[in-house]
Amino acid sequence: MLVHRLSQLSRADFSTAGGKGANLGELLRLGLAVPPGFVVSAGAYAEQARAWGLAERLAAHLDASRWEDAASAAAELFEGGALLPGLEGAVRDAYRELGAPPVAVRSSATAEDLADASFAGQHETYLDVAGEDALLAALRRCWASLWSPRALAYRAARGVDHLGVHIAVVVQRMVPAEFAGVLFTVDPVAQRADRMLLEVAPGLGEAVVSGHTTGDVYRLRRAPFGGAAANGAGKPNGAAANGAGKPNGAAANGAGKPNGAAANGAGKPNGAAANGAGKPNGAAADGAGKPNGAARPGADDLAIEDRDRREAGRPAPSDDLVIELARLGLRLEAHFGCPQDVEFAIAGGSLHLLQSRPITTLGNAEIEPLPPPPQLTRLQRRMLEANDNDRFPVAPKPLDQWGFRMTLPALVRMVRFLGLDVDADEERAWVDQLWRPMFIPPRMRPTLRLLRLPRKVAASLRDDPMAWWEGDGLKRLLETCAPVDLRALDDAALLRRADRIAETSTAVLGERFERSASQLAAVALRVPVTLAVGPKRAATVMSDLVSGVHTRTSDVNLALFHLARRAASAGPEVAGAIREGRPDALRASEAGRATLAEVEAFLEEHGHRESAGLYLSAPTWRQDPAPVWGLLRGLLDAAEPPSEQAGLARYQAALEEVTRALRFVPGLADAFRRNVERLRSAIVFRERTHFDLVRSYSALQAIVAEIARRLVARGHLPSPDDVFYLTEAEVRAWLTGEAPPLDEVKRLVQRRRATYGVVNARWQRTAFEMGGGGAPGDELRGVGASSGVVRGKARIVRDAGEFERLKAGEILVCRYTNPAWTPLFTLAAGVVTDTGGAVSHAAIVAREYGIPAVLGAAGATERIADGQEILVDGTEGRVALLRQADRRGDADERGRG
């Protein structure tokens, strides 16, 4: 059959209805309230795909792993191909039989909602679809979502055969919900098998799971789950945390995205449920009765332990309904035999189920032993509270230590150069950051050499570090990292190349740090500035004195702006393809091919730029150009190039004010002016050398990719991404033939993915809490990193995949930034971050462009609503929360299934 009523299905119909459709049928068989509807079967999709010759059209792209090309070809076919008459008629008839109401149209793939991979967010959902033609269009788009680049990459990472996966489509009646949300029958964030986690908000659930609305969070006591899937959960070495088994161990809202970007809720102080771990569509059924919430074993132990109400006075379901939902969760858990991720809606005081599936982030893997929480010295704590983590935004994976061994010894050299001492044990501990809850600096002890520091700073001010860099430092780096054919190298030569890159980079970086001592002149300059303008204004004037500095990062941003302007003027086909996220479609026209060539040239020059910190596991722009395309989408509407004039005006005004006050002391004003210029040159040197030094990371990443390819080809590693969960020692040993059996490797990787999920959640929580920048009421406090005041609409951007969300004139609000984010400053009217400080890349670029910035405002991305009106005072380091956003109005109309 091409179409099945939901009531005809059960979980035995997985191959017919896909994971979502089969589970919904099973819920109906249990007598539970599920919105009525039907399923366009996976067989119907397969028949239509055969008629269109889909496999033949995509075979070459799939064989070459060209996901963008495959997605583009599939989208063209599904959008324009003629539907089989029998299939179209069956869908129209089923819709009329349902009463032709507004419906939710949801993808249900045959590799979806499995116990070890949820495929959450990989396929599409469309809400409030009305009319037969609109339904058929949504059906086509759901089919096409099986072939999106994201879904293709997700399946490839898990070894799922692309052509072996079919997709059914679930069509259900929409009923506006009073409340909706997600229930986890065990707590996957805190690793507690004796606690449930619930997130619920008024209205449709899609706003909750997409991050546009933060729901109220409930934690409920329960009898501990004893099933196999929760083996060890809640114990010291218990089950995996959010993200276990996903590509980067990330918690959901982007689960499975690269770089382990932190999820909504994972690692938050209140442990909010992971947005996106299961996506409700917020639909409730007309007239559906209350589900049978009969108590299961342990149901009498249920109680609400605590709740986090995110907005005072916002409606919430009754406690009785919450307990009834928890009882229902226990019933589903008992029926399916494992912890469940339950999507629900509440309408007319009754519960309606939208989905129930296994919590795939609870595997059987135990986590590795974690080091005890560190006892920090006052200096270590002050360094952490500076909150300048734009280089270390997420927890490192085991292989990232290889990269740290290239950079951290150079930092130790700098510390000793300054006159501090770090013993050998502390140095080893610093380099080994594995499974730490935060990036922990070493304990440092002052020595008598510290007395020589003023002389070293003065000498550094007289030095020309840029001449050294362009004449020696950069030359050594480029020679060592020059591209070679890695496949032509044998294993030993490949490792020797990696060692040469690390040795050269450490030496060059160490000398670069020593030559950067002139930046400490800012401490000395603070004295005359304070004398000239007073202590209250000293910080603002110091910030203005380093505003408008033109850096290498500025050159990259300007090049990207001009690239976007040329693309915008190349015609609607070019601009349209970029706006719609279809860069492969550019190959269809001459103008499009010219744009692709320009992007390729841009990546050739700038593609080594890091996307999410200095990690081997974080792809560069060259390895994953998606952030570049996202920036181009946002910059298509930018009318003016980034300008340094506002920053320069602040600098000139501040310099004039201070030197005018100092002119009464002979020679002091001129000396001050000279030292400010040297300080500004030191900042240019820092940014230029950072841009070049990341080439060494890019070169080492290429070696790691080649090692991963060889290990997979030799049967030592299941997937290339697994290499980041190995240590450097393991990589070296396995490459020379000392790898353990593959089954043992799989268990090792599973255990470390699980451990990473736990550690990254703690890392995010620590980064979130260390700044202490929060303030009560409607205000946030942070570091005033670029002076000025601006009022406007806040736009939350959580990771590089959301770059295109920022529109011109909006205020960028994000967890952190690094140089890859700064092209957004061309559009932003202001910047607010959870972490960061006055010397971060974000601060430097914000001052250059003259836009107000408050960094290190802990909790900003949680307390500021997307679209809310805020006031950013970069002079005082203050963010005022003004009008609340219309959360539903700002929510995307399209959901993700």
Side-chain angles (χ1 to χ4, degrees):
M1 292 177 61
L2 299 176
V3 175
H4 302 263
R5 294 190 188 93
L6 282 175
S7 57
Q8 298 171 322
L9 301 169
S10 73
R11 58 177 165 174
D13 296 306
F14 179 88
S15 61
T16 297
K20 196 175 281 114
N23 282 354
L24 287 170
E26 187 72 10
L27 298 181
L28 280 169
R29 284 176 177 259
L30 292 175
L32 304 177
V34 174
F38 60 90
V39 173
V40 182
S41 71
Y45 162 84
E47 190 174 329
Q48 183 66 75
R50 279 193 299 271
W52 284 338
L54 178 69
E56 294 76 13
R57 292 278 294 271
L58 301 186
H61 299 316
L62 297 178
D63 289 343
S65 300
R66 295 196 300 264
W67 308 141
E68 294 283 352
D69 292 343
S72 181
E76 181 181 349
L77 199 59
F78 285 112
E79 183 178 348
L83 291 174
L84 294 169
L87 172 59
E88 181 176 345
V91 174
R92 290 183 184 273
D93 289 343
Y95 181 59
R96 292 168 191 159
E97 183 178 84
L98 193 62
V103 291
V105 183
R106 310 169 68 197
S107 305
S108 180
T110 57
E112 191 173 71
D113 293 351
L114 304 177
D116 60 349
S118 71
F119 285 73
Q122 303 306 313
H123 308 123
E124 299 291 0
T125 286
Y126 299 92
L127 305 182
D128 273 323
V129 176
E132 294 177 16
D133 291 340
L135 171 59
L136 291 170
L139 172 68
R140 289 172 179 269
R141 291 196 291 271
C142 284
W143 282 345
S145 71
L146 187 66
W147 300 100
S148 72
R150 181 179 67 245
L152 286 162
Y154 189 92
R155 290 196 297 270
R158 286 154 182 77
V160 177
D161 177 19
H162 298 293
L163 294 174
V165 177
H166 294 159
I167 189 167
V169 176
V170 177
V171 180
Q172 289 178 282
R173 179 189 295 271
M174 287 284 300
V175 173
E178 296 156 7
F179 303 96
V182 184
L183 170 72
F184 297 90
T185 61
V186 297
D187 188 336
V189 175
Q191 292 296 280
R192 294 278 297 274
D194 61 346
R195 190 166 75 182
M196 291 184 170
L197 190 65
L198 165 68
E199 184 172 15
V200 61
L204 297 179
E206 182 55 29
V208 174
V209 297
S210 65
H212 291 293
T213 292
T214 301
D216 296 335
V217 176
Y218 294 72
R219 296 171 190 84
L220 296 94
R221 185 179 69 244
R222 57 157 294 175
F225 175 77
N231 182 22
K235 300 176 185 176
N237 289 321
N242 273 7
K246 296 182 181 177
N248 293 294
N253 189 12
K257 291 181 182 177
N259 312 322
N264 278 355
K268 295 178 185 174
N270 296 320
N275 286 350
K279 290 196 167 190
N281 289 302
D286 248 344
K290 246 183 203 180
N292 180 0
R296 308 305 298 170
D300 291 339
D301 295 332
L302 288 170
I304 298 173
E305 283 189 340
D306 65 80
R307 72 195 84 200
D308 297 326
R309 298 296 303 276
R310 297 309 177 93
E311 291 183 21
R314 186 167 72 174
S318 68
D319 287 358
D320 287 344
L321 266 175
V322 170
I323 294 296
E324 182 182 353
L325 175 64
R327 289 197 183 103
L328 179 58
L330 289 178
R331 181 182 179 192
L332 294 170
E333 189 180 80
H335 178 76
F336 289 106
C338 62
Q340 294 292 295
D341 163 357
V342 182
E343 304 172 8
F344 65 90
I346 299 173
S350 296
L351 290 167
H352 307 278
L353 294 181
L354 305 173
Q355 186 164 290
S356 185
R357 62 185 175 195
I359 300 177
T360 60
T361 55
L362 291 174
N364 290 324
E366 292 190 351
I367 65 172
E368 297 193 335
L370 301 179
Q375 298 298 315
L376 302 178
T377 65
R378 181 180 299 178
L379 178 59
Q380 285 175 306
R381 179 162 290 278
R382 288 188 63 182
M383 292 173 70
L384 286 170
E385 288 175 348
N387 237 356
D388 185 14
N389 6 329
D390 56 351
R391 285 184 177 83
F392 306 104
V394 296
K397 298 182 177 68
L399 198 60
D400 288 322
Q401 306 300 311
W402 197 353
F404 287 173
R405 291 187 184 97
M406 184 165 63
T407 55
L408 296 186
L411 284 169
V412 171
R413 172 177 165 177
M414 179 193 71
V415 166
R416 289 173 175 152
F417 171 79
L418 295 178
L420 301 170
D421 195 22
V422 177
D423 66 31
D425 289 340
E426 282 291 323
E427 182 176 354
R428 282 192 295 272
W430 195 19
V431 172
D432 184 12
Q433 292 286 336
L434 188 60
W435 302 154
R436 299 290 187 91
M438 64 193 83
F439 189 84
I440 302 172
R443 288 183 174 87
M444 293 174 279
R445 295 177 301 281
T447 70
L448 291 175
R449 297 193 311 275
L450 197 59
L451 298 175
R452 304 175 195 165
L453 183 57
R455 188 186 309 167
K456 292 177 180 178
V457 173
S460 181
L461 284 169
R462 294 190 296 271
D463 186 26
D464 184 358
M466 196 66 80
W468 163 78
W469 182 250
E470 293 179 341
D472 179 49
L474 180 58
K475 180 181 178 182
R476 289 159 59 193
L477 196 70
L478 293 178
E479 287 175 351
T480 305
C481 298
V484 299
D485 183 0
L486 296 179
R487 293 199 178 199
L489 301 180
D490 61 28
D491 294 342
L494 193 64
L495 292 175
R496 284 197 301 272
R497 174 174 169 81
D499 291 339
R500 281 197 305 274
I501 290 171
E503 290 166 6
T504 302
S505 298
T506 300
V508 171
L509 186 58
E511 188 166 352
R512 178 253 197 180
F513 283 142
E514 290 181 1
R515 291 176 180 271
S516 299
S518 56
Q519 291 189 58
L520 295 175
V523 178
L525 289 175
R526 182 71 176 258
V527 175
V529 168
T530 302
L531 291 173
V533 303
K536 288 186 177 180
R537 293 189 56 234
T540 299
V541 172
M542 282 296 300
S543 172
D544 289 346
L545 285 170
V546 291
S547 293
V549 177
H550 182 84
T551 66
R552 189 69 178 87
T553 297
S554 318
D555 295 332
V556 178
N557 297 349
L558 188 61
L560 199 57
F561 169 82
H562 287 307
L563 180 55
R565 296 315 306 149
R566 289 192 294 273
S569 62
E573 289 184 357
V574 172
I578 294 174
R579 285 186 200 282
E580 295 164 15
R582 298 182 297 108
D584 284 322
L586 295 171
R587 294 194 177 98
S589 67
E590 184 176 347
R593 289 190 292 273
T595 298
L596 284 173
E598 288 196 62
V599 172
E600 178 61 29
F602 175 85
L603 292 174
E604 188 66 29
E605 184 174 358
H606 309 298
H608 62 279
R609 172 128 280 183
E610 77 273 27
S611 60
L614 293 174
Y615 297 97
L616 294 178
S617 61
T620 62
W621 280 356
R622 162 61 74 187
Q623 294 165 331
D624 178 14
V628 174
W629 289 108
L631 290 166
L632 286 174
R633 280 197 290 278
L635 291 171
L636 285 175
D637 297 321
E640 298 293 332
S643 173
E644 300 158 12
Q645 294 308 308
L648 283 171
R650 289 181 187 173
Y651 155 63
Q652 290 162 355
L655 185 64
E656 174 62 26
E657 180 181 6
V658 175
T659 54
R660 186 170 59 249
L662 299 177
R663 70 182 185 276
F664 300 106
V665 180
L668 183 57
D670 289 339
F672 179 82
R673 191 185 301 272
R674 285 195 302 272
N675 285 326
V676 167
E677 284 304 313
R678 288 166 179 164
L679 176 61
R680 290 168 64 86
S681 296
I683 292 172
V684 173
F685 172 73
R686 172 197 166 182
E687 292 298 295
R688 164 66 191 278
T689 52
H690 175 86
F691 175 83
D692 290 326
L693 280 161
V694 292
R695 296 178 192 274
S696 58
Y697 267 83
S698 182
L700 193 54
Q701 282 176 321
I703 292 172
V704 169
E706 175 59 19
I707 290 173
R709 186 193 68 80
R710 295 184 187 189
L711 291 177
V712 171
R714 296 170 188 175
H716 298 327
L717 203 61
S719 166
D721 280 348
D722 292 334
V723 75
F724 297 113
Y725 295 93
L726 307 182
T727 65
E728 179 187 352
E730 287 166 342
V731 163
R732 290 177 179 273
W734 294 14
L735 198 61
T736 56
E738 299 177 21
L742 188 58
D743 286 346
E744 187 177 328
V745 171
K746 289 179 178 178
R747 289 192 295 272
L748 172 71
V749 171
Q750 184 184 19
R751 184 170 67 248
R752 287 185 179 165
R753 285 185 183 273
T755 306
Y756 183 78
V758 174
V759 171
N760 191 45
R762 294 178 181 178
W763 188 285
Q764 298 300 320
R765 185 182 299 116
T766 302
F768 181 89
E769 294 173 339
M770 283 301 295
D778 295 329
E779 184 175 287
L780 291 166
R781 286 282 179 175
V783 176
S786 181
S787 63
V789 179
V790 66
R791 177 173 178 160
K793 180 186 288 188
R795 185 61 61 206
I796 309 293
V797 178
R798 299 195 181 277
D799 56 48
E802 296 185 345
F803 279 172
E804 69 271 16
R805 298 192 71 239
L806 183 72
K807 307 302 179 189
E810 294 179 336
I811 297 170
L812 172 64
V813 181
C814 51
R815 291 292 303 268
Y816 71 96
T817 66
N818 60 36
W821 289 65
T822 57
L824 293 176
F825 292 18
T826 303
L827 299 169
V831 180
V832 179
T833 67
D834 286 343
T835 67
V839 298
S840 66
H841 296 285
I844 292 169
V845 178
R847 288 192 293 262
E848 178 182 346
Y849 293 169
I851 59 175
V854 175
L855 309 184
T861 54
E862 302 308 307
R863 292 181 57 189
I864 299 174
D866 192 54
Q868 181 176 4
E869 189 174 358
I870 62 174
L871 183 143
V872 178
D873 185 341
T875 304
E876 298 292 331
R878 183 177 68 92
V879 181
L881 281 57
L882 305 176
R883 180 186 60 82
Q884 284 286 323
D886 179 350
R887 295 175 188 263
R888 276 206 212 169
D890 281 344
D892 293 337
E893 294 180 0
R894 188 179 72 177
R896 298 281 185 194

